[in-house]
Each structure stands twice: as structure tokens, then as C-alpha cells.
Amino acid sequence: MNQLIATVLQHFEEKLVLQQMIDRFRRSNQRYVLKNEIFQAFAEYCEETHKPAHFLHSSHIAHLIQYSHELLLEDDRIWLVLRPWIGSQETWAFDPGLTGCEAMSPKSMLEARDRFVDRAQSNLFEIDVTPFYENSPTINDPRNIGEGLAFLNRYLTNEVVDDRDYWLNVLFDVLHRHDYEGVPLLINDQIQSAEQLAQQIKHGIQILRSRPPEEPYESIHPDLQRMGFEPGWGNTAERAREMMELLEQMITMPQSAILEAFVARFPSVFRVASISIHGWVGQEELGRPETLGQVAYVLDQARNLDRQLQQNIELAGLKMLNIQAQVVVLTRLIPNCEGTQCALPLEKIDDTENAWILRVPFREFNPKVTDNWISRYDIWGYLETYAIDAQARLIQQMGGKPDLIIGNYSDGNLVASLMARQLNVTHCNIAHSLEKPKHLFSNLYWQDLEPQYHFSAQFTADLISMNAADFIVTSSYQEIVGSPETVGQYESYKCFTMPQLYHVINGIELFNPKFNRVSPGVDERVFFPYTNQRSTQDRDRITHLIFEQEDPTIFGKLADPQRRPLLAVSPLTAVKNLAGLVECFGRNLELQQRCNLILVTNNLRVEDAINAQEAEEIEKIHRLIDHYQLHNHIRWIGERLSNPDLGEMYRCIADRQGIFVHFARFEAFGRVLLEAMVSGLPSFVTAFGGTTEIIEDDRHGFLINPTDLQGSARKILEFLDRADADSDYWHKMSNRSIHRILDEYNWTRHTQRLLLLTKLYSFWNYVHRDSRESLLHYLDALFHLMYKPRAELILEQHQNQ
């Protein structure tokens, strides 16, 4: 960057452009300018001054503008934050006349931001996790961020090659200590050393090769037990031989693929706890609207973990020891549960063998508060005591401590980190939707937002839990480090200020291999292709609901129900941008002549809105419908549909060769997109966020820019033209959508990967425990010095209500 900046400042014309842009911002009293505004100002200047196209796109200043993410103007200094590559930022300071510049530390930029909001304070507490990751392996190529499993496999394999004897002894120690409730697995005390293990493995393989492949391990066990082998190798002679051969290859010629295959079969995960606290967690009432996706994800994951764990135990040959898998979703018990099951302490999860919802109440600091649902923004004062109470109930329910604790969202992850610390259990962090990047400048103006959102507690909790986690699971690459144009959700925690509270110099190591992309699937019992066999009764009922039924919860009567339907399913939030879709449809008469717009939300009446933001979105949509006279072109279904009904709705839209539109301003991943695509709907989705990893434009679906209403409408119309001209085109896109989801986004793959990660990171931490302990002690200090005082303030407010 130094060379690029120097070139711009030495080039008279380009320096003049930069100076005039800065002067323009000063005249308009814009002191803090973000990436989009910087680029827009540059583009407008080029247009006004008739600069050629190459100047806008390929000049030195154009490249500088491309890398610029923030511009902060002070009287005596100009600050520029550059992002030369994904996951990395540089801060540069210029004098007002642009005669010179220098690279600045992150701390100096944080201090400048504090001055911008008039809340500067000297000697502020600094959070920096850098020293605790210095001895950890580091991913060098940003393209490999999120591939922690593959990286660690290669790293461990190379270490085995470099020091074979040491790693053979480590491997022996792991096997020798491995048991289940005191019952040894894999090997027993007949094998006393790494050298003996290597020899006995050869003999064990010879014995297993002499037996019929399908012979049950139970019948071979007496012979192998005398040699030092216990159950866990496999349920048949063939599977046991395969696993022993993998171990032999690990000893003689280690390779990363062999290590992964061996670890995948290693029988070490039998009990899993998944923590999801703040939302309604029930099977009939799937969360409140804002937590619906999270609760559906948690329950789908639990069902599939139960199935996979049961299968793993059987394939490992551990049925003979009566080892039972168990999955527990740990959540709040809510006494005033509004007719749901959320006051039930224990509930079996449907279609599982041994998966449960365990509900533990908050302590009754003030029953007026704790007996009711508590917003995710207000929950922080209760989590420490909840972790203590819930841990005791969880161990009682499971009959022992879990092998894996999964945290969900910020509150669930903080509790997971506290419990994992106490129990010395592997902790997986899953956030998917972090609040900090969703609220622009939320950290900078945290004091103004504190009464409503309590961001000081939440952002501190996020820093603690994401660093404490053994591994982090995300649905997309963009969730971690965004794209060249946008900062990722986790990346937003790397360097920021909470004025007059603390500075985060480095809050998360993005190049650490703890990050892993493990995409979720869809519930294939509910969401499946429209071409599959279906209930005629359900099809007729949902078709009538979509196109004809009259009801207070349905708005609009279609003039021509046979027009091709455009379906949008979404909560009523500004970021989901349903109002933008209605305006896009309203502005384009050709779309109205060829299509009907079908909106599905949880509500359509202002008086029933759950908060001011939802009420504002409902009002906006109604105004747009009136303004563009869409009453005969739109159906707005404002009721909460069950998942089976929603699945049938997608299929009914596909019956009429409709399409799915997701017009969000940003989407971290988009489970609703998976559901629509697997049902067979060609989909038009936002190009901003993780959706770009699901869809390759014009192959599995179509990417649209929701800020470009005309361009989005044109892209939909081009698809309709091609579908009208070629009767097979819609079917071709539909089939591609279906196979994309079935092949790449399924729960079997997700759970297998999740369990493999658990085993590998558990092994990694066993080998490198000392290096983690110092980090965990540092996070303990953050909890007690920073988080706990903020949480206690919230609790004090609630006690006085």
C-alpha cells in the first residue's frame, strides 16, 4: 500500500482528485465516510469532470479507492483505513494538504474514532489476543480461511513425519487413556507401549483377514482381547480390519487423508449438548419470528446428530457394550409460555431415538421478569447463574458430562464456554448471525444504544466465547471474512472501539485454523422436490390458501391467478427488504402483466406487530401497494405457517412454474433459500452475503442487486422470456436447483463433518493443552472484569422493575 499511496500523492492529477473529494466531504460536513460512499463520491466526480473510463476503473487512485473502507476527517489529520486483502487492514494518516502520510497503529485509529464521537479517554483498557496465538499454526492464504480441518490434518501429518517416535507415543497415550465410563475402548493394558501397539496392530490385521468379512466383531472379540484389543474398531471383521489398517498406515506412512479417515472412525463422541437459550425452543412453536431460523437449525441438527451418533456406535461395534448416544438441546424454561410447551422441563424430540429438549429456568431474581420471555438483548444478567444450574441438570439428564457442547448465538455460546471450561469439554461455537455487524456503528455509539440493546455485554460475550471455542462452525466463507468489498461478521470483531469502555486491538485471529465452513441441510421430510409423491389433499388446501382463500390474515385478490407466481418468504425486517421487492414489482408494469407477487410473512397488520421496526415495515409495504395500485396483483399471507405447510407452499408454487425471490439487503447464509431450491423453485437472490456460495449465477439460480430495482426486474423478465421461448428451460433450472441442495447441503454431510471436527480438535487440544490454558485464563479475566459488571447492571435494572 505504501507504494500505491506514494504514487497517488506524486501524481498531480490524482492527488488533486483525492483532495477535491476530501474537500467535498468537509463542505457537506461528512467527517466519517464508509466504503460505498467513498466509491460513490469518486464515481460522481469522474462523471462530472468527464474522466475517461480507465481513470474510474484502472488509475492508481481508482485502486486506492477500491481498497478504502473508511475515511475519517479531523482538522489536523486525515485517516484512511485500507483493506488490501481479505482479513487484513492498514491505517494511514495524511496531513491536511496531502503532502505526506505515515502508517499508523490500530490503537491510533481507535483513538481517532473516540474523538469523532467526543468520547476520548486516555489509558483505556485494551483487549489483544495476539500473544495467545503466537505458537499456534497459522493459515497463510486467505482463500483457505474456513478450512481448518484440512489445514490441521496436513499440519499434524507433517509433524508425525518430522518426529515419528514422539507422535507414535502421543497416539499410544491417546488410545491407552481412551474409555467410556471407565470401560476401555480400542486397547487395554495388555499393550504397554507404542512399539508394542505397532506390532500388535500387524497381528490383529492378520487375524481379521483370516475371518469372513461380515463376521460380527463380538464373536472375534475374545481372541483380540487377549492381544490387547477392545471394542470400538468396527462391528464386523472387515470394518475392524479397515480401521486397524488405517492406524498401521498412520504409523508407517502418514498422510492427511489417512488421518482424517482414522479420526472419523475414532469412537469418542457419544453425548452432545446443544445450547440455545433466548428463543422459544419447542417443536410446535418454533421460536419467535426473529429466532425461527435458529430454533429450526438447532432441532434439525439435533435430530440428525441423534441419527448419526446411533449409526456410529453401531458401526464401531459398541452395541455390545450397551453404549447409548444422547443429544440434549438445552434451553430456558419459561413459566409464562403463552400456550407452548416451553414450561415443560423435558421433552423428547420427534423422530429421534434419544434426543431431548431440556429446559432449565432462570433463577427468580424478579419473577415479574424471569417468569416471562426475555429478549436476547436483555438476557445477559442471567447467564452466569444459568450456566451453573443448567450444568448440574445436564449432567443429571445425561448420566455424565457431554463429549461436545455446541453454543448457538451469543448467549448460548457464552454459556457453552463457561460450561466447557468447567467440564473440560470440547466447545463448538455457532453464531451465524452476529449482532455487531448488523447495526452500523453499534460499537461506536454503544452508550446511546445501551438502554435498548446492551451491546457492551453482548460484544464482550462474543469476544470471550469465540476465542474460548475449540472450533467455530460457519455456514459460509463470507460469515468469517466477507468478500473483497465487505467485512465479514467475525472480521468485524478484529479491531474496534467501545469508547470509554475498552479498545479491541485484536479480538479474533481470522487466520487461525479453528474456523470451519460446515453448511447446514434442510429437513428432507418436509422440504423435498415438487416432483415427489405428495398428498393431494394438502396440495389442494395450500393452493387454495395461496391463490383464492379469503381471510383476515390474507391481503389482496388476484385478477388473474394463472399468472406465473413470484414467491417471497421472509420476516418483516428492514434488512430482509420485502418493501424493496414490492417497490421493484410496483415500478415494472411488465412484471405485473406477467406475474403475481406472493408474500408470506408472520403478520400483515400494524396493530399486531411485535416491535416498532416490524410495524414500520408493514406500514411501508401497505403504502407501496396503495401507491402502485397492486391490490389485484399481490397476495400477502400474514400468518405463521407450519413447516409442512410451508414446504407444500414451495411445491405448489413450483407446480405453476413459479420462481422464488429473496430481496434481502444482506443475507449471511439463507436457510429459506435451501428450502425453496430443494423444492424445485428457480431462485433470484441477493448478491450480498453467503448466498453467493450457494448459487453460481445463471447455473443454480440467479444473483440480483436489491439496490438496483430496474436491473433486478430486468433479470427476472429475461428469465421469463427464456422460459416462454423454451418449454424445457424452467425445468432445467429447477432440476439444477434441486440437485445443488441435495448434493451439497444435506444434514448427513453436516453431522459427519461436525463430529469429525469434534474428534480432531479434541486431539489437537490434548496435544497442545498448555498453549490454550493461558488464553483461557485471559478470557476468565475479561469475563470477571468486563462482562460481569455490565451484566450485573442489567440484572439490577430488572430487579427494580
Side-chain angles (χ1 to χ4, degrees):
M1 288 293 104
N2 186 30
Q3 184 60 47
L4 178 60
I5 293 171
T7 303
V8 171
L9 296 186
Q10 292 164 11
H11 192 287
F12 176 79
E13 182 184 13
E14 297 196 359
K15 177 181 176 180
L16 180 63
V17 171
L18 183 59
Q19 184 70 66
Q20 293 189 358
M21 285 177 59
I22 290 170
D23 291 343
R24 189 177 285 195
F25 286 132
R26 287 191 187 278
R27 286 195 299 271
S28 62
N29 203 30
Q30 283 184 273
R31 292 174 52 207
Y32 204 154
V33 192
L34 299 182
K35 181 178 179 63
N36 287 341
E37 296 170 299
I38 297 171
F39 179 79
Q40 184 177 357
F42 178 60
E44 288 175 355
Y45 180 86
C46 290
E47 183 178 0
E48 291 169 5
T49 56
H50 308 291
K51 298 292 185 188
H54 73 83
F55 188 88
L56 173 63
H57 298 291
S58 57
S59 62
H60 295 296
I61 191 173
H63 291 305
L64 184 64
I65 295 296
Q66 176 187 343
Y67 295 131
S68 299
H69 274 252
E70 295 180 35
L71 178 67
L72 178 58
L73 305 179
E74 294 189 299
D75 293 338
D76 61 344
R77 188 169 280 180
I78 298 164
W79 298 85
L80 189 62
V81 177
L82 302 176
R83 193 165 173 260
W85 57 81
I86 282 175
S88 178
Q89 289 189 2
E90 296 179 5
T91 300
W92 293 82
F94 299 76
D95 62 77
L98 299 183
T99 59
C101 69
E102 60 178 319
M104 305 296 288
S105 67
K107 178 181 177 179
S108 61
M109 182 62 188
L110 299 181
E111 292 172 342
R113 290 170 180 155
D114 290 350
R115 292 193 295 271
F116 170 72
V117 293
D118 296 323
R119 284 171 176 160
Q121 178 179 323
S122 59
N123 300 319
L124 205 59
F125 186 87
E126 293 181 357
I127 297 174
D128 188 355
V129 299
T130 303
F132 305 102
Y133 289 94
E134 285 178 347
N135 296 322
S136 299
T138 300
I139 293 172
N140 296 317
D141 189 338
R143 292 172 296 183
N144 293 330
I145 291 174
E147 301 297 332
L149 174 67
F151 178 87
L152 273 189
N153 271 339
R154 292 192 300 270
Y155 184 88
L156 286 168
T157 303
N158 290 336
E159 288 204 334
V160 174
V161 172
D162 291 341
D163 193 344
R164 188 76 53 84
D165 291 340
Y166 169 75
W167 282 98
L168 182 55
N169 282 310
V170 169
L171 192 56
F172 165 74
D173 194 39
V174 170
L175 292 172
H176 190 252
R177 292 169 179 262
H178 189 46
D179 64 25
Y180 175 82
E181 299 294 315
V183 177
L185 302 181
L186 298 175
I187 67 173
N188 57 40
D189 288 340
Q190 295 293 324
I191 299 176
Q192 290 290 318
S193 69
E195 293 76 13
Q196 188 182 1
L197 172 64
Q199 290 300 316
Q200 292 298 82
I201 283 290
K202 295 180 184 295
H203 297 319
I205 291 171
Q206 289 175 352
I207 289 176
L208 290 167
R209 282 175 178 167
S210 69
R211 311 298 279 261
E214 297 304 317
E215 182 177 356
Y217 183 89
E218 194 168 358
S219 66
I220 315 170
H221 176 55
D223 294 338
L224 292 176
Q225 189 176 41
R226 286 191 290 272
M227 297 175 58
F229 296 111
E230 293 294 340
W233 297 98
N235 61 338
T236 65
E238 182 176 35
R239 282 194 64 85
R241 173 183 56 78
E242 289 172 352
M243 188 173 177
M244 286 190 184
E245 287 175 344
L246 287 171
L247 180 56
E248 183 186 37
Q249 291 175 69
M250 272 297 300
I251 295 170
T252 58
M253 50 176 188
Q255 299 176 23
S256 58
I258 293 170
L259 174 62
E260 181 173 324
F262 178 77
V263 171
R265 294 194 180 200
F266 193 81
S268 60
V269 184
F270 310 109
R271 299 174 178 141
V272 176
S274 182
I275 303 178
S276 178
I277 300 173
H278 69 269
W280 299 105
V281 179
Q283 298 182 85
E284 295 179 1
E285 183 72 17
L286 271 176
R288 293 206 166 195
E290 68 270 28
T291 62
L292 179 74
Q294 178 188 330
V295 174
Y297 176 98
V298 168
L299 292 179
D300 282 350
Q301 185 188 65
R303 290 187 185 96
N304 285 276
L305 275 170
D306 173 77
R307 189 176 303 119
Q308 191 63 54
L309 288 172
Q310 303 293 347
Q311 182 182 342
N312 289 356
I313 287 173
E314 182 173 349
L315 292 175
L318 295 177
K319 288 285 188 181
M320 60 184 289
L321 299 180
N322 294 318
I323 292 177
Q324 296 294 316
Q326 188 173 180
V327 179
V328 170
V329 173
L330 181 63
T331 189
R332 271 195 71 199
L333 185 148
I334 307 174
N336 297 333
C337 61
E338 302 179 16
T340 70
Q341 298 293 311
C342 293
L344 194 66
L346 189 65
E347 179 184 1
K348 193 168 188 290
I349 298 177
D350 297 340
D351 300 321
T352 67
E353 189 169 329
N354 198 18
W356 303 82
I357 301 173
L358 175 63
R359 301 184 180 94
V360 178
F362 285 165
R363 292 186 188 176
E364 292 186 353
F365 295 97
N366 179 355
K368 294 179 182 177
V369 178
T370 54
D371 281 358
N372 301 296
W373 179 76
I374 299 175
S375 162
R376 67 183 185 269
Y377 301 119
D378 292 325
I379 205 168
W380 307 104
Y382 304 92
L383 297 184
E384 183 180 15
T385 53
Y386 179 84
I388 296 169
D389 299 341
Q391 179 176 308
R393 284 288 294 113
L394 179 66
I395 292 174
Q396 180 185 21
Q397 171 64 27
M398 285 190 155
K401 68 180 186 179
D403 304 300
L404 169 66
I405 295 178
I406 303 170
N408 296 278
Y409 194 71
S410 298
D411 50 358
N413 271 305
L414 183 69
V415 171
S417 68
L418 294 174
M419 291 174 59
R421 182 87 165 103
Q422 286 292 315
L423 298 173
N424 191 23
V425 170
T426 303
H427 167 207
C428 167
N429 176 300
I430 301 179
H432 292 322
S433 182
L434 291 160
E435 291 295 330
K436 182 176 173 293
K438 287 163 59 176
H439 300 264
L440 189 63
F441 298 135
S442 53
N443 58 291
L444 204 55
Y445 294 100
W446 70 270
Q447 285 142 307
D448 301 324
L449 300 169
E450 192 74 354
Q452 181 178 359
Y453 294 109
H454 303 294
F455 283 145
S456 65
Q458 179 160 4
F459 297 169
T460 309
D462 287 334
L463 289 169
I464 292 169
S465 60
M466 66 178 62
N467 281 287
D470 296 288
F471 65 98
I472 296 173
V473 162
T474 70
S475 294
S476 68
Y477 178 89
Q478 304 223 6
E479 211 175 306
I480 310 169
V481 285
S483 68
E485 289 75 34
T486 59
V487 172
Q489 292 191 57
Y490 282 93
E491 186 181 0
S492 72
Y493 284 79
K494 186 169 179 64
C495 183
F496 66 96
T497 176
M498 302 284 280
Q500 299 179 336
L501 183 63
Y502 56 66
H503 283 162
V504 177
I505 305 300
N506 182 15
I508 184 68
E509 283 292 339
L510 300 168
F511 289 82
N512 185 271
K514 69 166 56 183
F515 287 99
N516 288 271
R517 285 182 290 165
V518 185
S519 301
V522 294
D523 186 347
E524 294 178 22
R525 306 166 307 160
V526 175
F527 302 102
F528 53 84
Y530 77 104
T531 51
N532 289 15
Q533 185 174 355
R534 294 149 59 190
S535 161
T536 302
Q537 182 178 357
D538 286 342
R539 180 189 302 185
D540 292 344
R541 177 175 58 85
I542 297 300
T543 298
H544 180 67
L545 170 71
I546 299 171
F547 298 105
E548 299 170 0
Q549 183 173 318
E550 295 184 7
D551 191 275
T553 62
I554 301 175
F555 177 91
K557 186 171 183 178
L558 300 177
D560 183 2
Q562 299 308 312
R563 290 174 183 164
R564 194 186 298 266
L566 311 181
L567 174 68
V569 179
S570 174
L572 288 159
T573 64
V575 72
K576 297 301 182 183
N577 197 31
L578 279 184
L581 174 59
V582 173
E583 183 161 11
C584 174
F585 184 74
R587 286 187 181 186
N588 195 289
L589 291 177
E590 187 177 354
L591 265 184
Q592 296 171 41
Q593 291 166 359
R594 299 175 68 174
C595 302
N596 291 315
L597 181 60
I598 314 295
L599 303 180
V600 180
T601 68
N602 56 290
N603 180 29
L604 54 72
R605 294 156 55 94
V606 172
E607 55 268 32
D608 296 331
I610 61 173
N611 54 47
Q613 292 78 15
E614 183 172 286
E616 183 180 349
E617 195 71 9
I618 292 171
E619 285 183 340
K620 189 174 182 180
I621 292 173
H622 279 296
R623 285 198 305 269
L624 288 166
I625 291 172
D626 291 340
H627 177 75
Y628 291 108
Q629 293 295 299
L630 299 177
H631 304 80
N632 295 328
H633 302 278
I634 194 169
R635 288 274 286 178
W636 184 0
I637 300 169
E639 64 176 277
R640 187 109 169 248
L641 299 180
S642 66
N643 271 0
D645 282 355
L646 185 57
E648 188 57 36
M649 175 170 287
Y650 290 129
R651 293 186 287 272
C652 289
I653 296 294
D655 288 336
R656 300 195 180 197
Q657 296 192 13
I659 63 176
F660 178 75
V661 185
H662 191 52
F663 219 66
R665 295 191 176 99
F666 175 84
E667 182 60 67
F669 182 69
R671 276 172 53 89
V672 66
L673 173 58
L674 303 186
E675 295 165 357
M677 289 177 67
V678 80
S679 302
L681 287 176
S683 298
F684 289 74
V685 301
T686 178
F688 303 130
T691 51
T692 58
E693 296 176 35
I694 301 173
I695 282 182
E696 180 183 343
D697 194 28
D698 204 22
R699 178 167 177 79
H700 311 114
F702 304 89
L703 299 174
I704 53 177
N705 180 352
T707 65
D708 180 4
L709 302 185
Q710 183 178 353
S712 296
R714 184 169 58 250
K715 198 160 187 178
I716 293 172
L717 288 168
E718 286 172 357
F719 171 82
L720 298 181
D721 289 340
R722 292 169 73 179
D724 290 344
D726 179 357
S727 59
D728 291 332
Y729 180 67
W730 184 93
H731 295 284
K732 181 173 69 174
M733 294 304 301
S734 173
N735 288 332
R736 285 181 182 174
S737 297
I738 292 169
H739 288 294
R740 173 66 172 167
I741 305 307
L742 293 178
D743 294 344
E744 300 294 332
Y745 298 90
N746 60 77
W747 280 112
T748 298
R749 172 180 289 196
H750 173 97
T751 51
Q752 288 174 347
R753 206 71 177 163
L754 181 61
L755 295 175
L756 174 59
L757 290 168
T758 304
K759 298 171 186 179
L760 182 68
Y761 283 88
S762 298
F763 176 67
W764 173 257
N765 287 335
Y766 176 81
V767 176
H768 294 274
R769 192 70 197 174
D770 290 344
S771 62
R772 263 184 64 80
E773 279 302 317
S774 57
L775 171 61
L776 293 175
H777 285 308
Y778 180 72
L779 298 176
D780 287 343
L782 284 184
F783 177 84
H784 289 285
L785 296 175
M786 284 292 161
Y787 171 81
K788 196 170 179 178
R790 311 304 308 176
E792 287 175 345
L793 287 174
I794 301 170
L795 189 58
E796 183 179 341
Q797 294 169 9
H798 285 194
Q799 286 177 306
N800 295 328
Q801 287 183 7

